[in-house]
């Protein structure tokens, strides 16, 4: 393992979640709310949050969370109840998150990009007592009759309430409950997975899960109270919530909130706020590099560039290294079920392993397994299984999905990967996305990385194209910088860098961005539907 030079905190094996024996940090935060409590006690005047002109210290944030907790309690929210947050990256999201945690309630962040049907499924599954939502999203809320039980709804940001967005929850004279002291295995947050197949599943993030993940990020990235993060990915996702927001609270740093990512605005805020750390998805880095006056922005404070959701293409890593040689770009690998990261690239190692997702974080175990449940040696591909104190105990109110996904304490990721001899993980594909071309396995990540290295390619995605003889062939969807790129040129480029059976036989070139979900992951099921329409 190649983690920071300072000794790691003491680690021991502990029994959790019934029969899981996992490696744990001996000293660790005991609760989500405890992260804020400790930061406010340590340095109450330190800057915690920035959103536009609003600047909150840790004292301010703790005080507002305490007030809101009193209002929630007056509305009947109790320990174990769920509080749904249909809120974007705004101060109110953070205040509500900690207010719920103070009561021992379970926060259920929901994507502001979700549509009515998805919101109905998530609310019906989680059964919250209270829903805080962006006033402008009222038309997306499901009818009360379509949900079990009663759900109190409070709009945030409604006209006339700008000076007090929680006006409807204020309760004069309401007693302020003392902070709840949860057990470590109590659920703190329910985060819904993308749900690309079937209905979304609610991963139950416990106090123990969150404590270990924030420690992993802080240790592996070398973060401290002097760091300033720009939260430009959604706070309702594990990367935004855990890797950025809660990790910065843990170390006592500052978080600048950005409602929606726009490359130029992002660069302006990075320079103005002297941001030191980011956690983005690959397309965000690519869009920044495409800004014509990228070099005009003072990004000298930017030292850590984390990447999740998908590997950052080697070509983009090279461009960033050329333009920002002081920036440490760090690929990582994880999932909502792993409370974000299971592997991280050690600082300073990216240049030597640009196509790797890094090494296993200190308390995790990662295995590469074949279809028969046998561990594969280094260099051999198989399904990635993850175990550790950051792996959730299961899905909320969904025992069937939990039994299918969790085996012997490991979460089965559905991703294909391999380790090299030095312990670096390489994520090759989703199991369902792997292309079987006449018995030869083609991993989309490899082909996509080569395509992305072409100077005229902005982004690329590879999926299977049905074929009667071979079963499947390689189909590439490419977003080009201009109209001059053609399929033959791309095939020739790939042929010089890939085995012949990996070269795309079908190439669809356009100038519009590829379809992506709220976090920026390419929606390959949409591309498969396009192929089905082509051959129908």
């Amino acid at each position: 393992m190649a983690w920071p030079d300072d000794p790691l905190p003491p680690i021991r094996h502990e029994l959790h979640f019934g029969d899981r024996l996992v490696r744990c940090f001996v000293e660790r935060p005991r609760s989500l709310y405890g992260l804020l409590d400790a930061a406010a006690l340590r340095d109450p005047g330190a800057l915690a949050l920035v959103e536009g002109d609003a600047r909150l210290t840790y004292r301010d944030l703790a005080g507002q969370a305490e007030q809101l907790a009193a209002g929630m309690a007056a509305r009947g929210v109790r320990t174990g109840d769920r509080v749904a947050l249909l809120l974007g990256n705004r101060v109110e999201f953070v205040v509500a998150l900690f207010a719920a945690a103070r009561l021992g309630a379970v926060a259920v962040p929901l994507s502001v990009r979700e549509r009515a049907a998805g919101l109905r499924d998530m609310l019906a599954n989680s059964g919250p007592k209270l829903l805080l939502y962006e006033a402008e999203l009222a038309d997306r809320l499901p009818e009360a009759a379509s949900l079990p039980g009663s759900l109190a709804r409070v709009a945030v940001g409604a006209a006339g309430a700008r000076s007090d967005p929680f006006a409807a929850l204020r309760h004069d004279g309401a007693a302020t409950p003392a902070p709840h002291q949860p057990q470590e295995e109590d659920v703190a947050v329910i985060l819904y997975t993308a749900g690309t197949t079937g209905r979304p599943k609610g991963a139950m993030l416990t106090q123990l899960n969150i404590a270990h993940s924030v420690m992993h990020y802080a240790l592996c990235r070398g973060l401290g109270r002097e760091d300033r993060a720009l939260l430009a990915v959604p706070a309702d996702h594990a990367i935004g919530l855990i890797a950025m927001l809660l990790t910065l609270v843990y170390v006592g740093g500052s978080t600048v909130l950005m409602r929606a990512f726009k490359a130029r605005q992002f660069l302006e805020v990075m320079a103005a706020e002297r941001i030191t750390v980011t956690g983005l998805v690959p397309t965000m880095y690519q869009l920044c590099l495409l800004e014509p006056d990228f070099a005009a922005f003072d990004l000298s404070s930017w030292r850590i560039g984390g990447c999740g959701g998908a590997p950052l293409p080697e070509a983009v890593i090279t461009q960033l290294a050329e333009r920002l040689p002081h920036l440490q770009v760090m690929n990582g690998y994880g999932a909502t079920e792993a409370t974000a990261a299971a592997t991280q690239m050690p600082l300073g190692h990216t240049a030597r392993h640009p196509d790797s997702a890094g090494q296993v974080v200190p308390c995790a175990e990662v295995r590469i397994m074949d279809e028969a449940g046998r561990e594969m040696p280094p260099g051999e591909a198989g399904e990635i299984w993850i175990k550790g104190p950051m792996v959730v105990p299961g899905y909320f109110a969904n025992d069937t999905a939990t039994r299918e996904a969790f085996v012997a304490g490991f979460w089965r990721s559905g991703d294909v990967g391999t380790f090299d001899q030095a312990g670096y993980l390489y994520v090759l594909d989703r199991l369902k996305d792997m292309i079987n071309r006449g018995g030869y396995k083609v991993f989309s990540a490899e082909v996509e990385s080569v395509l992305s290295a072409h100077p005229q390619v902005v982004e690329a995605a590879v999926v299977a194209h049905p074929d009667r003889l071979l079963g499947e062939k390689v189909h590439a969807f490419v977003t080009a910088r201009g109209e001059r790129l053609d399929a033959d040129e791309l095939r020739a480029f790939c042929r010089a860098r890939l085995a012949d059976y990996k070269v795309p036989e079908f190439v669809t070139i356009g100038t519009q961005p590829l379809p992506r979900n709220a976090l920026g992951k390419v929606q390959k099921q949409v591309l498969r539907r396009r192929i089905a329409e082509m051959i129908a």
Side-chain angles (χ1 to χ4, degrees):
M1 221 173 261
W3 295 121
D5 293 334
D6 294 337
L8 288 172
I11 293 172
R12 69 185 175 201
H13 281 91
E14 297 181 12
L15 191 64
H16 286 285
F17 308 123
D19 61 351
R20 295 189 193 177
L21 189 65
V22 292
R23 290 162 51 85
C24 294
F25 292 117
V26 176
E27 297 295 329
R28 58 196 184 244
R30 295 292 155 171
S31 70
L32 190 161
Y33 187 77
L35 299 176
L36 174 59
D37 207 24
L41 182 65
R42 185 170 57 241
D43 192 352
L47 184 64
L49 289 180
V50 176
E51 185 200 346
D53 295 332
R55 301 179 103 76
L56 274 68
T57 65
Y58 278 103
R59 181 192 297 110
D60 298 331
L61 180 55
Q64 290 194 25
E66 181 178 347
Q67 286 183 319
L68 185 59
M72 288 181 176
R75 280 289 191 110
V77 176
R78 299 290 182 264
T79 299
D81 287 339
R82 273 77 64 201
V83 175
L85 308 176
L86 184 59
L87 302 172
N89 288 5
R90 55 190 300 165
V91 165
E92 291 82 5
F93 173 94
V94 184
V95 173
L97 174 77
F98 283 111
R102 184 184 172 97
L103 295 174
V106 179
V108 186
L110 303 172
S111 172
V112 295
R113 295 182 62 180
E114 189 59 71
R115 310 311 299 178
L119 291 174
R120 183 180 62 248
D121 288 343
M122 295 174 193
L123 291 171
N125 175 252
S126 59
K129 177 71 70 69
L130 175 66
L131 167 64
L132 302 181
Y133 66 94
E134 303 269 0
E136 63 189 37
L137 301 180
D139 59 343
R140 294 194 202 168
L141 301 184
E143 297 287 339
S146 67
L147 300 175
S150 60
L151 173 63
R153 308 174 186 218
V154 175
V156 174
R162 293 179 183 174
S163 61
D164 185 0
F166 295 121
L169 278 173
R170 298 300 182 195
H171 194 279
D172 293 339
T176 303
H180 176 69
Q181 301 299 320
Q183 299 297 310
E184 283 193 303
E185 294 183 14
D186 289 348
V187 178
V189 176
I190 295 174
L191 285 183
Y192 281 90
T193 58
T196 53
T197 57
R199 292 185 175 180
K201 303 182 291 289
M204 298 184 290
L205 278 60
T206 68
Q207 315 287 348
L208 182 75
N209 297 151
I210 292 169
H212 280 83
S213 273
V214 298
M215 289 187 71
H216 279 147
Y217 278 111
L219 287 166
C220 296
R221 294 181 173 180
L223 302 179
R225 64 180 64 184
E226 71 285 353
D227 279 301
R228 296 169 64 84
L230 179 51
L231 181 57
V233 297
D236 58 80
H237 189 275
I239 294 175
L241 180 65
I242 306 298
M244 302 300 293
L245 177 63
L246 293 184
T247 297
L248 267 292
V249 173
Y250 168 65
V251 300
S254 310
T255 301
V256 180
L257 303 173
M258 188 173 184
R259 292 285 189 98
F261 176 84
K262 295 185 184 304
R264 186 170 189 81
Q265 181 186 357
F266 173 86
L267 293 171
E268 290 170 351
V269 175
M270 289 287 294
E273 296 289 349
R274 308 300 294 165
I275 299 298
T276 65
V277 58
T278 57
L280 306 177
V281 296
T283 187
M284 292 177 171
Y285 286 107
Q286 291 168 296
L287 290 170
C288 288
L289 289 168
L290 288 174
E291 284 296 309
D293 55 347
F294 178 88
F297 294 94
D298 180 3
L299 303 177
S300 56
S301 297
W302 193 7
R303 67 182 190 85
I304 301 292
C307 186
L312 193 61
E314 189 172 345
V316 178
I317 292 174
T318 300
Q319 291 180 60
L320 286 169
E322 291 171 351
R323 299 194 186 194
L324 301 171
H326 59 279
L327 176 64
Q328 298 266 5
V329 177
M330 300 176 67
N331 268 330
Y333 171 74
T336 304
E337 289 86 348
T339 317
T343 69
Q344 283 282 283
M345 180 61 68
L347 290 170
H349 289 221
T350 296
R352 297 194 299 276
H353 308 276
D355 51 345
S356 168
Q359 295 188 333
V360 178
V361 295
C363 289
E365 296 179 51
V366 178
R367 300 283 181 265
I368 305 298
M369 309 294 285
D370 70 8
E371 294 177 355
R374 297 170 298 201
E375 186 174 8
M376 304 297 287
E380 296 292 327
E383 185 181 10
I384 301 171
W385 290 19
I386 305 170
K387 181 181 179 183
M390 357 67 61
V391 173
V392 303
Y395 302 110
F396 185 78
N398 195 337
D399 291 341
T400 299
T402 298
R403 284 193 299 270
E404 292 174 350
F406 296 84
V407 178
F410 284 86
W411 174 64
R412 301 183 59 170
S413 71
D415 290 324
V416 181
T418 185
F419 278 111
D420 65 14
Q421 293 289 347
Y424 290 89
L425 178 70
Y426 296 81
V427 182
L428 305 172
D429 217 335
R430 290 288 294 167
L431 277 175
K432 60 184 175 55
D433 291 342
M434 185 178 66
I435 301 168
N436 187 341
R437 187 187 184 281
Y440 288 93
K441 294 178 180 178
V442 179
F443 299 114
S444 60
E446 180 184 9
V447 184
E448 289 161 358
S449 180
V450 169
L451 289 166
S452 297
H454 191 286
Q456 290 300 109
V457 171
V458 176
E459 56 180 351
V462 169
V463 295
H465 187 113
D467 182 78
R468 289 183 179 179
L469 179 61
L470 296 174
E472 295 175 332
K473 290 184 176 180
V474 182
H475 192 135
F477 287 83
V478 171
T479 300
R481 285 192 170 86
E483 302 289 344
R484 293 175 294 177
L485 185 63
D486 64 46
D488 288 339
E489 179 184 348
L490 270 182
R491 289 193 192 94
F493 185 82
C494 290
R495 201 171 290 116
R497 295 162 175 82
L498 292 169
D500 56 359
Y501 63 90
K502 300 177 182 179
V503 175
E505 286 141 304
F506 299 89
V507 180
T508 300
I509 301 173
T511 56
Q512 295 302 309
L514 297 173
R516 295 180 180 272
N517 64 16
L519 192 66
K521 287 186 178 181
V522 175
Q523 295 177 301
K524 291 194 173 182
Q525 71 274 22
V526 175
L527 302 180
R528 293 190 193 94
R529 286 200 294 269
R530 291 182 186 175
I531 293 174
E533 293 168 359
M534 292 176 190
I535 62 180

